[in-house]
Amino acid sequence: MKFDFIPIDYGYFDFEGKNYAKITGRNSQGKRICVIDSCPVYFWAILNDKLEEKKINALIEKIKKICLDVKGRKTKVEGVELHDKKFLGCRVKALKIFATNYKDLHDIADCLGMKEIEKRRGYDLGFITHYVIEKKFLPLHWYEISGEVLHNSVEFGGIDSSLNVDFCIKAESIKKTDDKKFLPKVLAFDIETDEFRIGEGEILMVSLVSENFKKLITWKTSSSSGTRLDYVEYVKNEKELIERFIECVKEISPDFLVGYFSDGFDLPYLKARADKHKVKFSLGLDGSQPRFSGAGAGRGIGTGKISGIVHIDLLRFIQTAYSQYMQSETMSLNEVAKEFLGDAKKDFEMKHSSKILAGEWENYFEYNLHDSVLTYNLFQKFWPDINEFSRTIQEPPFETSRAGLSRYTESYILHNLEKFNEIPEKRPTNDEIGQRRRIGSSEGAFVMEPTPGMYENIAMFDFTSMHTSIIITHNLSKSTLLEKKEKGCNESPEIAEGKKKIRYYFSKETGFFPELMKEIFYLRKKAKEEYSKNKNTFTKARSNAFKVLSASAHGYLAFFGARYYSHEASASVLAFVRKYNKETIEKVKEGGYNVIFGDTDSVGFTLNNKTKKDVRQLLEKLNSELPGVMELELEDFYKRGIWVTTRAGITGAKKKYAMIDEDGNIKIRGFETVRRDWCSMARKVQNNVLMMILKEGNEKSALEYVKEIIQKVKDKKLEIKDIIIRTQIKKPLSEYKAISPHVIAAKKMKERNLPIDPGSLVEYYIARTREKKKLVREKVKLPDEKGEYDVDYYLRHQILPAVENIFQVFEIDTDELIDRKKQKKLSDF
DNA sequence: GTTAAGGCCATACC
DNA sequence: ACCGGTATGGCCTTAAC
């Protein structure tokens, strides 16, 4: 039988000691198909240099005889081949050692302690990754499959009869075909409970949303007088709720089951409650329960994998792939939905189910259903991105949606090594990671200290993908690093290592890492052009995928968990970053401009009496002097900009400025306005002050405005939303050495049984207290705690600090704006 | 008991 | 541990008086 097929979910199983990949996907008619396939399982033994042929043959014979009985599984070396390969760019002779089961590779590798063998590699990729590389059966691409349909077959222990799919097939051939449109079947879900701690409360309701499908299952009956909502299905109890949920998932049979924070909440909660009721939580297409891994006793959340269905926790994906480009200050469903959908959660005042009145349940149902609607719509929004990332790094969507930036880069490398005939490097051991961390980090980028003041007519240059273009241009990587200088090699600038100043040298022959980064660099350029020509969600997703991948190249080199980590290459990249930035600053100065700003890859300067044309000519000249793929871009022209001093006083503050472009758009960097751990009134005031000053070119109206606000604060006219301070909890509360206000707020929340975990955002305000308190933390109150805000605190610690450095540029002392005597009286009271 | 320096901590920039 | 280094600034902690 022959059919077209798109692989979506990858799993594997063992049968008679061998590994089989189990790939679930669809054909173009929408039939659900499971493909079973196998691949050779092997790893590499890299041989010592100059080993004689005779000795190699003897070694091969010896290895062929290896037979193991481990973990109740008999395994043996199935074959050994000699190959000419490359490892870290060097030619090597290597043995390809085949085994029965992937899980045994490590044990077999452990038997190869012979002195003839230098290194053992390629046993730690994971079977799925190994399989995808081996068979080039890539996720979310279209294929033509032919093979034998399994129908109540005894093969593989009768696996086909237990699988809830249209066909199960043993693959004979897999051929890549042209891409077709694919619309995945998606089911979003969300639960509501009384208790945040996993499994400790009852699940009150669960909502499910799919295409033209909305359902809410609950055992909480509403009053007979209440409006009956047509999507609500009433069941007897929580046990039935879970059973119905499982049935619904089976009926809809989605490719993707999507939640928001469902790795950390919804899925483990459902599983825990199912366990309590002794209900088998059989969501998998083979009837298996979700497998949770990585959670453990430690910190962080695990992942919930469902066999045959891709469980996506959208929060995790958005966090890694998008959060750095987002406006939202939190990753809550509400804010993320607002930003990407223009839709928000329904209003509902959360309370314990025992306190919900009969007529209120409908609102709760609406609220819960709408969360699933938002999750469903967000998935549709991000599907192009997940799709594009998954195809680019060639890892299945389950893994892709949970991977971090380093894994994106690493997967891209591993899946492209064969082009270079390269044997994969291994993951670092804990010892190696320890060593890498002990070496510490290298000196980073250069940041110029600006002279505080207001400037007019500003232009800004920046380097395109600076770090990545340096890696490519100077061929920097682990495998191209030379032990000593060679003729014509690439040479880093001088680097201070300890007390010495040294240089690192890199080969002139392009290494696979720089080559792959070059590929990404050009694909990024292409994708960006494509997007600007043809703007749609798919071109945007593609452009973003390569943008993220390209931006992670240097971070990967310097990441101690990376297979291709290189301290030397990273230090060299950063040395070049400093060199190019400083050189550019000098050259712009030489061109007759006044440089006022410089940070890592950008330079800002005033035009003085020069024209925009002059600036463009200068840019052209600078570009003609840059080597390789390095390129300087004109970021923009600005009408006006302001730089301030640090709080301490005289020196200019780095990474803190505001500019206005010719269309009146304001760009603010580093100021409290953009920091979420300042109260919104301080941020608003600062933002308005910057706007007025930049638009008008002077401080007069801004000063009047600040005076008004100060009066408003004194008159206690601020609302609670103006004074709330939001801060994130970054570690378990017990680990805090310094107990700052936000830790107190978190402790108060914990006392109320509210969930506080690393990552939680706490809200509080600073209240006036009866006795005089010395520490701010003694005045912390949660937003719903009664109290008056501390006028003195909000003036002196929020509003004034936000604006005083700005007015200092105009030599105005804002301290005088507060009548000290009057204030003293107030706080004494 | 008060004060200054130093450290912790969160958050931003690139 | 899950991409890096540079930088600001608030507030607590500690040491010294």
Side-chain angles (χ1 to χ4, degrees):
Chain A
M1 186 172 168
K2 212 182 236 187
F3 55 91
D4 58 348
F5 181 78
I6 182 169
I8 304 166
D9 186 64
Y10 290 67
Y12 68 97
F13 63 94
D14 281 6
F15 181 65
E16 292 177 348
K18 271 190 75 176
N19 310 112
Y20 292 91
K22 188 171 74 175
I23 300 124
T24 313
R26 301 248 179 210
N27 69 4
S28 48
Q29 275 85 52
K31 292 280 184 218
R32 198 154 205 188
I33 296 163
C34 179
V35 174
I36 292 172
D37 190 23
S38 60
C39 73
V41 165
Y42 62 87
F43 70 104
W44 295 98
I46 300 169
L47 301 176
N48 271 326
D49 279 356
K50 293 166 197 151
L51 205 59
E52 291 163 37
E53 210 182 308
K54 237 164 102 185
K55 281 199 172 163
I56 294 176
N57 288 334
L59 184 65
I60 291 175
E61 288 313 310
K62 203 166 145 192
I63 294 172
K64 273 184 181 170
K65 292 197 183 92
I66 292 177
C67 222
L68 282 178
D69 195 344
V70 280
K71 298 157 196 153
R73 192 170 52 227
K74 285 206 165 90
T75 190
K76 64 178 202 302
V77 169
E78 304 265 348
V80 182
E81 294 171 359
L82 179 65
H83 287 259
D84 284 315
K85 295 289 288 182
K86 283 194 164 181
F87 181 66
L88 296 176
C90 300
R91 291 152 170 271
V92 292
K93 289 214 179 293
L95 300 180
K96 192 174 188 179
I97 301 171
F98 295 87
T100 327
N101 193 301
Y102 196 86
K103 292 195 274 285
D104 299 332
L105 292 182
H106 216 289
D107 293 312
I108 295 175
D110 281 345
C111 300
L112 302 182
M114 306 88 166
K115 61 179 188 314
E116 294 94 331
I117 294 171
E118 182 111 344
K119 289 183 175 85
R120 295 150 290 184
R121 291 294 185 270
Y123 50 80
D124 63 353
L125 302 173
F127 180 72
I128 299 291
T129 300
H130 173 85
Y131 170 82
V132 172
I133 292 172
E134 201 54 26
K135 302 294 288 250
K136 297 263 166 291
F137 194 20
L138 310 179
L140 304 168
H141 284 81
W142 283 93
Y143 291 87
E144 188 187 86
I145 311 278
S146 56
E148 172 202 344
V149 174
L150 301 177
H151 188 69
N152 291 326
S153 160
V154 287
E155 203 165 0
F156 309 122
I159 190 170
D160 68 289
S161 43
S162 63
L163 276 180
N164 182 24
V165 292
D166 296 303
F167 307 105
C168 189
I169 191 161
K170 186 181 161 193
E172 273 151 23
S173 92
I174 297 169
K175 268 187 244 152
K176 182 109 177 51
T177 60
D178 285 345
D179 273 336
K180 282 184 270 204
K181 207 171 166 184
F182 168 61
L183 289 174
K185 195 154 196 183
V186 181
L187 176 62
F189 76 113
D190 185 48
I191 63 169
E192 300 298 333
T193 68
D194 270 339
E195 175 66 50
F196 290 106
R197 281 170 300 191
I198 302 297
E200 293 198 10
E202 285 175 313
I203 298 173
L204 308 170
M205 64 191 89
V206 56
S207 57
L208 298 123
V209 170
S210 189
E211 201 187 355
N212 300 320
F213 178 89
K214 284 179 182 175
K215 187 186 276 293
L216 185 137
I217 306 165
T218 185
W219 52 280
K220 288 286 175 185
T221 44
S222 71
S223 71
S224 48
S225 60
T227 26
R228 286 254 156 180
L229 300 162
D230 56 1
Y231 55 81
V232 178
E233 181 182 320
Y234 296 94
V235 290
K236 262 203 314 239
N237 50 35
E238 190 190 28
K239 184 173 179 235
E240 274 190 17
L241 179 149
I242 295 167
E243 287 165 346
R244 273 301 287 152
F245 174 75
I246 298 167
E247 279 169 29
C248 285
V249 174
K250 276 207 178 108
E251 275 163 36
I252 294 163
S253 191
D255 299 306
F256 292 94
L257 181 67
V258 188
Y260 200 85
F261 193 48
S262 47
D263 265 343
F265 188 72
D266 304 65
L267 206 59
Y269 214 115
L270 278 159
K271 171 74 166 61
R273 297 306 293 179
D275 285 350
K276 195 177 168 70
H277 294 297
K278 302 200 165 52
V279 172
K280 190 178 179 203
F281 195 45
S282 50
L283 288 183
L285 292 187
D286 55 359
S288 65
Q289 309 199 58
R291 281 218 316 271
F292 294 95
S293 53
R299 270 169 287 164
I301 55 167
T303 58
K305 192 166 166 57
I306 304 168
S307 176
I309 297 174
V310 184
H311 168 222
I312 300 277
D313 180 347
L314 258 188
L315 171 65
R316 278 179 98 125
F317 175 72
I318 297 173
Q319 231 159 17
T320 38
Y322 253 95
S323 65
Q324 52 179 328
Y325 307 108
M326 280 168 56
Q327 301 298 307
S328 308
E329 280 170 17
T330 73
M331 295 299 291
S332 69
L333 179 58
N334 194 36
E335 281 207 52
V336 172
K338 269 193 213 162
E339 178 163 348
F340 291 100
L341 304 172
D343 193 0
K345 281 168 84 105
K346 291 242 154 114
D347 274 336
F348 181 75
E349 200 196 325
M350 205 50 88
K351 48 189 161 185
H352 194 272
S353 60
S354 60
K355 296 203 174 106
I356 295 175
L357 305 173
E360 288 176 332
W361 279 100
E362 278 72 21
N363 293 338
Y364 204 178
F365 298 159
E366 290 265 285
Y367 168 89
N368 177 239
L369 183 82
H370 196 63
D371 275 7
S372 286
V373 170
L374 293 179
T375 305
Y376 180 83
N377 290 339
L378 273 176
F379 181 84
Q380 298 299 348
K381 186 96 187 170
F382 285 106
W383 162 243
D385 295 274
I386 295 172
N387 183 42
E388 207 57 62
F389 268 111
S390 187
R391 287 165 56 107
T392 304
I393 68 167
Q394 301 181 22
E395 286 286 326
F398 178 84
E399 283 74 18
T400 302
S401 66
R402 287 168 177 79
L405 296 178
S406 71
R407 272 213 47 198
Y408 284 171
T409 307
E410 192 149 287
S411 293
Y412 190 89
I413 297 169
L414 291 176
H415 285 276
N416 282 286
L417 280 180
E418 217 169 82
K419 287 192 260 188
F420 304 93
N421 197 29
E422 268 276 331
I423 291 173
E425 175 60 296
K426 68 170 169 55
R427 274 201 296 262
T429 60
N430 283 341
D431 282 355
E432 284 164 325
I433 289 178
Q435 274 173 28
R436 291 173 181 187
R437 299 184 81 169
R438 272 193 297 281
I439 294 174
S441 52
S442 337
E443 184 187 347
F446 169 72
V447 187
M448 193 184 114
E449 188 190 308
T451 308
M454 194 165 74
Y455 300 88
E456 311 247 326
N457 295 322
I458 301 160
M460 208 164 124
F461 290 162
D462 59 20
F463 283 92
T464 31
S465 304
M466 191 188 209
H467 298 71
T468 309
S469 63
I470 286 173
I471 290 170
I472 299 164
T473 301
H474 298 285
N475 201 27
L476 310 177
S477 72
K478 172 171 177 158
S479 76
T480 46
L481 178 70
L482 300 172
E483 294 201 354
K484 54 181 192 297
K485 190 171 179 171
E486 281 175 15
K487 207 179 154 205
C489 71
N490 285 284
E491 189 173 333
S492 81
E494 271 197 339
I495 298 167
E497 293 277 14
K499 280 177 191 164
K500 278 190 291 187
K501 282 203 169 182
I502 56 162
R503 286 176 201 272
Y504 292 117
Y505 305 99
F506 297 86
S507 101
K508 58 184 172 188
E509 281 156 57
T510 309
F512 64 90
F513 183 81
E515 187 66 36
L516 287 172
M517 294 308 117
K518 192 173 179 180
E519 208 172 276
I520 290 170
F521 183 81
Y522 281 117
L523 287 170
R524 149 127 188 81
K525 268 198 156 174
K526 216 179 109 193
K528 202 175 167 183
E529 279 164 24
E530 224 171 86
Y531 172 61
S532 63
K533 265 187 266 168
N534 175 20
K535 288 196 179 180
N536 63 49
T537 51
F538 290 94
T539 53
K540 188 180 180 182
R542 202 171 163 70
S543 173
N544 185 59
F546 283 109
K547 178 177 169 177
V548 170
L549 212 53
S550 174
S552 314
H554 168 254
Y556 177 78
L557 276 182
F559 170 51
F560 46 75
R563 288 173 196 254
Y564 295 101
Y565 164 90
S566 170
H567 171 77
E568 295 86 351
S570 165
S572 303
V573 172
L574 293 170
F576 274 118
V577 166
R578 292 190 293 275
K579 174 175 170 268
Y580 284 118
N581 190 239
K582 285 179 186 168
E583 276 178 8
T584 308
I585 290 171
E586 284 315 307
K587 284 179 180 175
V588 171
K589 277 185 188 164
E590 281 163 25
Y593 300 86
N594 180 26
V595 174
I596 48 177
F597 164 91
D599 187 343
T600 313
D601 61 352
S602 57
V603 181
F605 51 94
T606 54
L607 266 57
N608 300 345
N609 49 5
K610 306 238 180 204
T611 63
K612 286 184 183 175
K613 200 178 155 201
D614 293 332
V615 171
R616 290 204 167 88
Q617 273 172 3
L618 172 69
L619 180 70
E620 217 167 286
K621 179 175 168 284
L622 294 184
N623 267 321
S624 70
E625 292 163 8
L626 286 171
V629 300
M630 297 209 56
E631 190 188 21
L632 204 56
E633 257 184 327
L634 174 66
E635 200 259 350
D636 210 352
F637 289 107
Y638 296 88
K639 205 167 81 182
R640 198 171 279 134
I642 187 168
W643 274 260
V644 299
T645 63
T646 60
R647 285 279 286 151
I650 331 100
T651 56
K654 298 168 177 182
K655 298 183 186 290
K656 220 174 157 179
Y657 61 90
M659 298 197 284
I660 186 166
D661 71 12
E662 286 157 345
D663 302 323
N665 302 310
I666 305 247
K667 177 174 173 173
I668 299 179
R669 293 288 178 266
F671 275 108
E672 285 75 0
T673 296
V674 298
R675 294 182 61 98
R676 69 169 179 202
D677 56 349
W678 280 68
C679 80
S680 72
M681 183 48 78
R683 297 169 64 181
K684 193 174 120 192
V685 171
Q686 187 184 59
N687 192 51
N688 287 340
V689 164
L690 286 171
M691 294 261 258
M692 289 176 186
I693 287 174
L694 288 175
K695 280 195 174 143
E696 292 158 24
N698 67 63
E699 79 291 359
K700 288 195 175 62
S701 56
L703 193 60
E704 288 312 307
Y705 167 70
V706 170
K707 282 180 186 165
E708 272 172 41
I709 295 291
I710 289 175
Q711 197 51 50
K712 208 173 150 188
V713 175
K714 285 183 181 171
D715 294 345
K716 303 199 172 157
K717 284 189 178 149
L718 298 192
E719 293 174 41
I720 186 80
K721 66 170 171 39
D722 297 326
I723 55 167
I724 282 180
I725 298 165
R726 301 203 289 186
T727 315
Q728 197 181 24
I729 291 295
K730 312 253 299 182
K731 52 188 179 186
L733 293 188
S734 56
E735 285 178 22
Y736 278 93
K737 286 181 189 130
I739 309 301
S740 42
H742 79 294
V743 179
I744 294 296
K747 284 185 173 168
K748 285 190 172 202
M749 285 172 75
K750 201 151 199 181
E751 273 169 31
R752 296 188 187 181
N753 258 339
L754 293 165
I756 290 293
D757 298 296
S760 303
L761 204 63
V762 297
E763 297 189 331
Y764 60 91
Y765 73 98
I766 303 305
R768 198 168 70 108
T769 47
R770 196 165 296 174
E771 308 96 59
K772 209 173 166 190
K773 299 284 187 187
K774 212 176 76 184
L775 296 176
V776 179
R777 67 165 175 227
E778 293 171 310
K779 300 190 274 192
V780 166
K781 281 194 174 171
L782 296 183
D784 58 2
E785 274 185 88
K786 280 208 178 103
E788 270 177 17
Y789 66 81
D790 183 337
V791 171
D792 205 51
Y793 176 84
Y794 279 95
L795 282 179
R796 286 175 204 284
H797 294 261
Q798 292 280 332
I799 310 289
L800 276 194
V803 296
E804 69 178 276
N805 296 32
I806 300 169
F807 284 108
Q808 211 180 50
V809 168
F810 304 95
E811 288 170 352
I812 289 172
D813 185 2
T814 45
D815 250 13
E816 289 168 13
L817 298 180
I818 314 178
D819 183 354
R820 275 163 197 272
K821 276 182 187 167
K822 207 173 173 185
Q823 273 308 303
K824 231 185 179 152
K825 264 186 189 166
L826 253 171
S827 53
D828 278 348
F829 180 68

